[in-house]
Amino acid sequence: MSWIDPDFPRIAEPTDLVGRVLGLNPGMLTGPGTNTYLVGRSHPILIDTGAGVPEYLSLFAAYLERRGWARPERIVLTHRHRDHMGGVTPLRERFPGVPVAKMIFKDAALPDGIQDLHDGQPVAGEGVTLIPIHTPGHASDHLCYYLPEEQALFTGDLILGGSTTVIPDEDGDLGQYLDSLRRVQGLGVRRIYPAHGPVIEDAPGKIQEYLDHRMLRERQILEMLGGGARTIPDMVKAIYTDVPVALHGHAAMSVHSHLKKLKQEGRVAEEVVPGAPSRWTLR
Ligand SMILES: [Zn+2]
Protein backbone atom coordinates (compact mmCIF):
# COMPACT_ATOMS: atom_id res chain seq x y z
CA MET A 1 0.00 0.00 0.00
CA SER A 2 1.40 3.31 -1.10
CA TRP A 3 0.32 5.27 1.92
CA ILE A 4 2.97 3.53 4.09
CA ASP A 5 5.44 6.23 3.10
CA PRO A 6 8.89 5.40 4.54
CA ASP A 7 10.01 8.97 3.85
CA PHE A 8 7.19 10.55 5.85
CA PRO A 9 8.92 13.03 8.21
CA ARG A 10 9.18 11.74 11.77
CA ILE A 11 8.77 15.22 13.21
CA ALA A 12 7.24 18.37 11.75
CA GLU A 13 5.99 21.82 12.66
CA PRO A 14 3.05 22.54 10.38
CA THR A 15 2.41 25.90 12.14
CA ASP A 16 3.75 27.79 15.15
CA LEU A 17 0.87 26.41 17.23
CA VAL A 18 1.13 22.77 16.14
CA GLY A 19 4.03 20.31 16.26
CA ARG A 20 3.91 16.66 15.21
CA VAL A 21 5.83 13.56 16.33
CA LEU A 22 5.27 10.31 14.45
CA GLY A 23 4.29 7.21 16.45
CA LEU A 24 6.73 5.02 14.44
CA ASN A 25 4.09 2.31 13.96
CA PRO A 26 3.70 2.04 10.18
CA GLY A 27 1.24 -0.49 8.76
CA MET A 28 -1.60 -1.17 6.37
CA LEU A 29 -4.13 0.45 8.71
CA THR A 30 -1.88 3.14 10.18
CA GLY A 31 -0.09 4.31 7.02
CA PRO A 32 3.20 5.97 8.00
CA GLY A 33 2.17 5.58 11.66
CA THR A 34 0.03 7.50 14.13
CA ASN A 35 0.56 11.26 14.26
CA THR A 36 0.80 12.67 17.76
CA TYR A 37 0.32 16.44 17.93
CA LEU A 38 1.68 19.00 20.39
CA VAL A 39 -0.55 22.04 20.50
CA GLY A 40 0.36 25.42 22.00
CA ARG A 41 3.25 27.88 22.00
CA SER A 42 4.58 26.43 25.26
CA HIS A 43 3.32 23.94 27.88
CA PRO A 44 1.89 21.91 25.01
CA ILE A 45 -1.19 19.71 25.02
CA LEU A 46 -0.45 16.30 23.46
CA ILE A 47 -3.18 14.78 21.26
CA ASP A 48 -2.81 10.95 21.10
CA THR A 49 0.18 8.90 22.12
CA GLY A 50 0.86 6.34 19.37
CA ALA A 51 1.01 2.60 19.94
CA GLY A 52 3.65 2.54 22.68
CA VAL A 53 6.65 1.86 20.41
CA PRO A 54 9.80 2.37 22.58
CA GLU A 55 11.61 4.44 19.91
CA TYR A 56 8.70 6.88 19.92
CA LEU A 57 9.44 7.86 23.50
CA SER A 58 13.05 8.81 22.63
CA LEU A 59 11.90 10.71 19.55
CA PHE A 60 9.25 12.50 21.61
CA ALA A 61 11.74 13.43 24.36
CA ALA A 62 14.25 14.72 21.79
CA TYR A 63 11.54 16.82 20.16
CA LEU A 64 10.49 18.36 23.50
CA GLU A 65 14.11 19.21 24.24
CA ARG A 66 14.55 20.85 20.85
CA ARG A 67 11.54 23.07 21.55
CA GLY A 68 12.78 23.83 25.05
CA TRP A 69 9.81 22.11 26.66
CA ALA A 70 10.11 20.06 29.84
CA ARG A 71 6.98 17.93 29.42
CA PRO A 72 3.51 17.81 27.93
CA GLU A 73 1.12 19.78 30.13
CA ARG A 74 -1.68 17.29 29.53
CA ILE A 75 -2.65 14.47 27.19
CA VAL A 76 -6.00 14.14 25.40
CA LEU A 77 -6.99 11.13 23.29
CA THR A 78 -9.17 10.82 20.21
CA HIS A 79 -10.33 7.27 20.99
CA ARG A 80 -9.40 4.05 22.71
CA HIS A 81 -7.79 2.14 19.81
CA ARG A 82 -4.35 0.83 20.63
CA ASP A 83 -2.48 2.88 18.06
CA HIS A 84 -3.74 6.07 19.79
CA MET A 85 -3.68 5.04 23.45
CA GLY A 86 -0.75 2.59 23.58
CA GLY A 87 1.72 5.29 24.60
CA VAL A 88 -0.23 6.45 27.67
CA THR A 89 1.48 4.15 30.19
CA PRO A 90 5.10 4.76 29.07
CA LEU A 91 4.46 8.52 28.81
CA ARG A 92 3.03 8.59 32.34
CA GLU A 93 6.07 6.72 33.60
CA ARG A 94 8.32 9.29 31.97
CA PHE A 95 6.20 12.33 32.97
CA PRO A 96 4.64 11.41 36.33
CA GLY A 97 1.38 13.17 37.11
CA VAL A 98 0.57 14.26 33.57
CA PRO A 99 -3.24 14.31 33.32
CA VAL A 100 -4.82 12.15 30.60
CA ALA A 101 -8.39 12.62 29.35
CA LYS A 102 -10.73 11.09 26.76
CA MET A 103 -14.44 10.62 26.35
CA ILE A 104 -15.22 7.67 28.59
CA PHE A 105 -17.92 5.77 26.74
CA LYS A 106 -18.45 1.99 26.70
CA ASP A 107 -14.89 1.65 27.98
CA ALA A 108 -14.13 -1.67 29.65
CA ALA A 109 -10.38 -1.73 30.21
CA LEU A 110 -8.85 1.73 30.52
CA PRO A 111 -5.66 2.41 32.48
CA ASP A 112 -6.44 3.92 35.93
CA GLY A 113 -7.02 7.60 36.43
CA ILE A 114 -8.11 8.64 32.97
CA GLN A 115 -10.38 11.69 33.16
CA ASP A 116 -13.66 11.98 31.32
CA LEU A 117 -13.99 14.60 28.61
CA HIS A 118 -17.36 15.73 27.27
CA ASP A 119 -18.43 17.03 23.91
CA GLY A 120 -17.89 20.80 23.87
CA GLN A 121 -15.89 20.95 27.12
CA PRO A 122 -12.95 23.23 26.24
CA VAL A 123 -9.37 22.26 27.02
CA ALA A 124 -7.26 25.41 27.44
CA GLY A 125 -3.58 25.58 26.61
CA GLU A 126 -0.99 28.31 26.02
CA GLY A 127 -2.69 30.60 23.50
CA VAL A 128 -4.87 27.74 22.24
CA THR A 129 -8.19 26.10 23.01
CA LEU A 130 -9.24 22.62 22.00
CA ILE A 131 -12.96 21.89 21.73
CA PRO A 132 -13.81 18.17 21.81
CA ILE A 133 -16.40 17.14 19.21
CA HIS A 134 -18.04 13.74 19.73
CA THR A 135 -17.79 12.02 16.35
CA PRO A 136 -18.78 8.33 16.64
CA GLY A 137 -18.76 5.94 13.69
CA HIS A 138 -15.20 4.60 13.53
CA ALA A 139 -15.38 4.10 17.31
CA SER A 140 -18.22 4.98 19.69
CA ASP A 141 -15.96 7.04 21.98
CA HIS A 142 -14.35 9.04 19.17
CA LEU A 143 -13.54 12.73 19.66
CA CYS A 144 -12.21 15.24 17.15
CA TYR A 145 -10.61 18.40 18.56
CA TYR A 146 -11.41 21.78 17.07
CA LEU A 147 -8.72 24.48 17.28
CA PRO A 148 -10.55 27.80 16.76
CA GLU A 149 -7.27 29.79 16.61
CA GLU A 150 -6.58 28.12 13.24
CA GLN A 151 -10.08 27.01 12.26
CA ALA A 152 -8.44 23.60 12.18
CA LEU A 153 -9.67 20.17 13.23
CA PHE A 154 -7.70 17.26 14.65
CA THR A 155 -9.78 14.49 13.12
CA GLY A 156 -8.31 11.37 14.75
CA ASP A 157 -9.50 8.48 12.57
CA LEU A 158 -12.65 10.25 11.29
CA ILE A 159 -10.71 11.58 8.30
CA LEU A 160 -7.27 10.31 7.25
CA GLY A 161 -4.59 11.65 4.94
CA GLY A 162 -4.30 9.02 2.21
CA SER A 163 -6.85 6.30 2.92
CA THR A 164 -10.47 5.77 3.90
CA THR A 165 -11.53 5.03 7.46
CA VAL A 166 -12.40 1.50 8.56
CA ILE A 167 -15.87 1.08 10.09
CA PRO A 168 -15.27 -1.95 12.33
CA ASP A 169 -18.03 -4.56 12.70
CA GLU A 170 -17.62 -4.21 16.47
CA ASP A 171 -18.35 -0.71 17.75
CA GLY A 172 -18.39 0.91 14.30
CA ASP A 173 -21.54 2.42 12.76
CA LEU A 174 -21.67 3.85 9.26
CA GLY A 175 -24.85 5.88 9.85
CA GLN A 176 -23.22 7.58 12.85
CA TYR A 177 -20.03 8.01 10.85
CA LEU A 178 -21.86 9.93 8.10
CA ASP A 179 -23.64 12.05 10.73
CA SER A 180 -20.22 12.83 12.25
CA LEU A 181 -18.83 13.90 8.85
CA ARG A 182 -21.87 16.17 8.33
CA ARG A 183 -21.41 17.61 11.80
CA VAL A 184 -17.77 18.59 11.21
CA GLN A 185 -18.77 19.87 7.76
CA GLY A 186 -20.88 22.41 9.63
CA LEU A 187 -17.97 23.73 11.72
CA GLY A 188 -16.40 25.77 8.91
CA VAL A 189 -13.05 24.00 9.24
CA ARG A 190 -10.22 25.10 6.93
CA ARG A 191 -7.36 22.71 7.77
CA ILE A 192 -7.36 19.09 8.93
CA TYR A 193 -4.71 17.42 11.07
CA PRO A 194 -5.42 13.69 10.66
CA ALA A 195 -4.15 10.96 12.99
CA HIS A 196 -2.57 9.22 9.99
CA GLY A 197 -0.95 10.81 6.93
CA PRO A 198 -0.17 14.40 5.95
CA VAL A 199 -1.99 17.63 6.85
CA ILE A 200 -5.01 18.34 4.62
CA GLU A 201 -5.21 22.00 3.61
CA ASP A 202 -8.57 21.82 1.81
CA ALA A 203 -10.80 20.62 4.64
CA PRO A 204 -14.19 21.32 2.97
CA GLY A 205 -13.07 19.48 -0.19
CA LYS A 206 -11.85 16.46 1.75
CA ILE A 207 -14.99 16.20 3.90
CA GLN A 208 -17.16 16.32 0.77
CA GLU A 209 -14.93 13.73 -0.92
CA TYR A 210 -15.40 11.40 2.08
CA LEU A 211 -19.18 11.82 1.96
CA ASP A 212 -19.27 11.33 -1.82
CA HIS A 213 -17.15 8.17 -1.55
CA ARG A 214 -19.59 6.53 0.87
CA MET A 215 -22.61 7.61 -1.18
CA LEU A 216 -21.05 6.12 -4.32
CA ARG A 217 -20.39 2.86 -2.47
CA GLU A 218 -24.00 2.76 -1.27
CA ARG A 219 -25.31 3.25 -4.81
CA GLN A 220 -23.01 0.46 -6.07
CA ILE A 221 -24.28 -1.91 -3.40
CA LEU A 222 -27.94 -1.10 -4.13
CA GLU A 223 -27.30 -1.63 -7.86
CA MET A 224 -25.64 -4.98 -7.24
CA LEU A 225 -28.54 -6.12 -5.07
CA GLY A 226 -30.89 -5.03 -7.86
CA GLY A 227 -28.77 -7.06 -10.28
CA GLY A 228 -29.05 -10.23 -8.21
CA ALA A 229 -25.95 -10.24 -5.98
CA ARG A 230 -26.87 -11.70 -2.60
CA THR A 231 -23.83 -12.22 -0.37
CA ILE A 232 -21.02 -9.98 0.90
CA PRO A 233 -18.23 -12.10 -0.66
CA ASP A 234 -19.91 -11.79 -4.09
CA MET A 235 -20.20 -8.01 -3.69
CA VAL A 236 -16.59 -7.61 -2.48
CA LYS A 237 -15.31 -9.55 -5.51
CA ALA A 238 -17.28 -7.33 -7.89
CA ILE A 239 -16.60 -3.95 -6.24
CA TYR A 240 -12.99 -4.24 -5.06
CA THR A 241 -11.41 -5.46 -8.30
CA ASP A 242 -8.37 -3.20 -7.78
CA VAL A 243 -7.77 -4.06 -4.11
CA PRO A 244 -5.31 -6.83 -3.07
CA VAL A 245 -7.02 -9.96 -1.75
CA ALA A 246 -5.17 -9.44 1.56
CA LEU A 247 -7.47 -6.46 2.18
CA HIS A 248 -10.71 -8.21 1.28
CA GLY A 249 -11.45 -8.78 4.96
CA HIS A 250 -11.61 -5.03 5.47
CA ALA A 251 -13.55 -4.61 2.26
CA ALA A 252 -16.10 -7.12 3.57
CA MET A 253 -16.38 -5.10 6.78
CA SER A 254 -17.02 -1.99 4.73
CA VAL A 255 -19.75 -3.62 2.62
CA HIS A 256 -21.28 -5.01 5.81
CA SER A 257 -21.32 -1.53 7.38
CA HIS A 258 -23.34 -0.28 4.40
CA LEU A 259 -25.76 -3.22 4.53
CA LYS A 260 -26.31 -2.71 8.28
CA LYS A 261 -27.11 0.96 7.67
CA LEU A 262 -29.51 0.10 4.80
CA LYS A 263 -31.14 -2.55 6.98
CA GLN A 264 -31.66 -0.03 9.80
CA GLU A 265 -33.28 2.26 7.24
CA GLY A 266 -35.60 -0.56 6.14
CA ARG A 267 -34.20 -0.57 2.60
CA VAL A 268 -32.72 -4.08 2.56
CA ALA A 269 -33.53 -7.38 4.27
CA GLU A 270 -31.08 -9.91 5.68
CA GLU A 271 -31.71 -13.63 5.64
CA VAL A 272 -29.30 -15.31 8.05
CA VAL A 273 -28.05 -18.63 6.68
CA PRO A 274 -26.45 -20.92 9.30
CA GLY A 275 -22.88 -21.81 8.38
CA ALA A 276 -22.86 -19.55 5.31
CA PRO A 277 -22.90 -15.83 4.49
CA SER A 278 -26.21 -14.00 5.01
CA ARG A 279 -28.35 -13.43 1.91
CA TRP A 280 -29.32 -9.79 1.32
CA THR A 281 -32.23 -8.50 -0.78
CA LEU A 282 -33.82 -5.15 -1.60
CA ARG A 283 -37.08 -4.37 0.17
ZN1 LIG B 1 -8.88 3.91 15.33
Side-chain angles (χ1 to χ4, degrees):
M1 290 279 285
S2 58
W3 86 306
I4 309 177
D5 175 5
D7 298 324
F8 193 73
R10 292 150 63 102
I11 57 169
E13 270 153 58
T15 70
D16 58 352
L17 293 181
V18 179
R20 177 179 67 71
V21 180
L22 189 60
L24 305 179
N25 54 323
M28 222 138 63
L29 293 178
T30 57
T34 306
N35 294 321
T36 77
Y37 291 104
L38 287 149
V39 188
R41 280 182 214 283
S42 62
H43 304 95
I45 305 167
L46 176 64
I47 302 180
D48 282 343
T49 65
V53 175
E55 296 76 41
Y56 165 76
L57 217 55
S58 331
L59 183 65
F60 183 76
Y63 182 77
L64 284 186
E65 200 182 309
R66 216 194 74 184
R67 300 285 306 255
W69 294 339
R71 51 187 280 141
E73 198 64 15
R74 53 174 59 246
I75 298 174
V76 297
L77 303 170
T78 57
H79 62 301
R80 64 181 146 253
H81 290 165
R82 212 196 122 62
D83 58 319
H84 300 260
M85 222 177 79
V88 165
T89 301
L91 281 167
R92 277 170 148 183
E93 282 164 9
R94 181 123 188 179
F95 305 105
V98 60
V100 183
K102 73 183 284 299
M103 173 174 271
I104 298 181
F105 188 83
K106 293 188 186 170
D107 276 304
L110 285 182
D112 285 341
I114 296 209
Q115 297 165 359
D116 192 10
L117 202 53
H118 298 273
D119 180 274
Q121 177 188 342
V123 180
E126 208 58 48
V128 291
T129 316
L130 292 173
I131 318 271
I133 315 280
H134 188 211
T135 38
H138 167 74
S140 57
D141 65 335
H142 193 283
L143 293 177
C144 293
Y145 292 94
Y146 182 58
L147 175 64
E149 289 80 4
E150 288 189 2
Q151 283 180 266
L153 189 69
F154 296 88
T155 52
D157 284 356
L158 178 73
I159 295 171
L160 308 177
S163 177
T164 54
T165 297
V166 173
I167 309 296
D169 275 340
E170 279 291 316
D171 198 42
D173 184 307
L174 182 62
Q176 288 183 354
Y177 179 76
L178 293 170
D179 288 344
S180 292
L181 285 177
R182 291 190 194 102
R183 181 167 180 209
V184 302
Q185 193 172 40
L187 295 176
V189 175
R190 287 156 60 155
R191 178 187 298 127
I192 286 172
Y193 295 107
H196 305 275
V199 173
I200 297 156
E201 292 295 347
D202 175 16
K206 181 56 84 175
I207 297 168
Q208 192 58 51
E209 182 189 316
Y210 261 51
L211 284 163
D212 291 347
H213 169 75
R214 301 288 172 168
M215 289 301 116
L216 168 71
R217 200 57 99 214
E218 180 167 294
R219 279 198 300 280
Q220 279 178 319
I221 289 169
L222 288 169
E223 273 168 27
M224 298 189 73
L225 288 168
R230 288 292 165 261
T231 69
I232 291 176
D234 288 348
M235 290 182 238
V236 167
K237 254 181 262 163
I239 296 175
Y240 293 87
T241 48
D242 56 344
V243 168
V245 177
L247 286 177
H248 277 193
H250 284 103
M253 235 188 249
S254 173
V255 172
H256 190 210
S257 71
H258 279 282
L259 290 167
K260 279 196 289 191
K261 169 180 175 285
L262 291 165
K263 186 179 165 184
Q264 277 167 15
E265 294 168 354
R267 296 163 72 189
V268 305
E270 176 181 13
E271 182 198 339
V272 177
V273 183
S278 287
R279 295 177 58 81
W280 299 84
T281 43
L282 294 175
R283 299 190 57 159

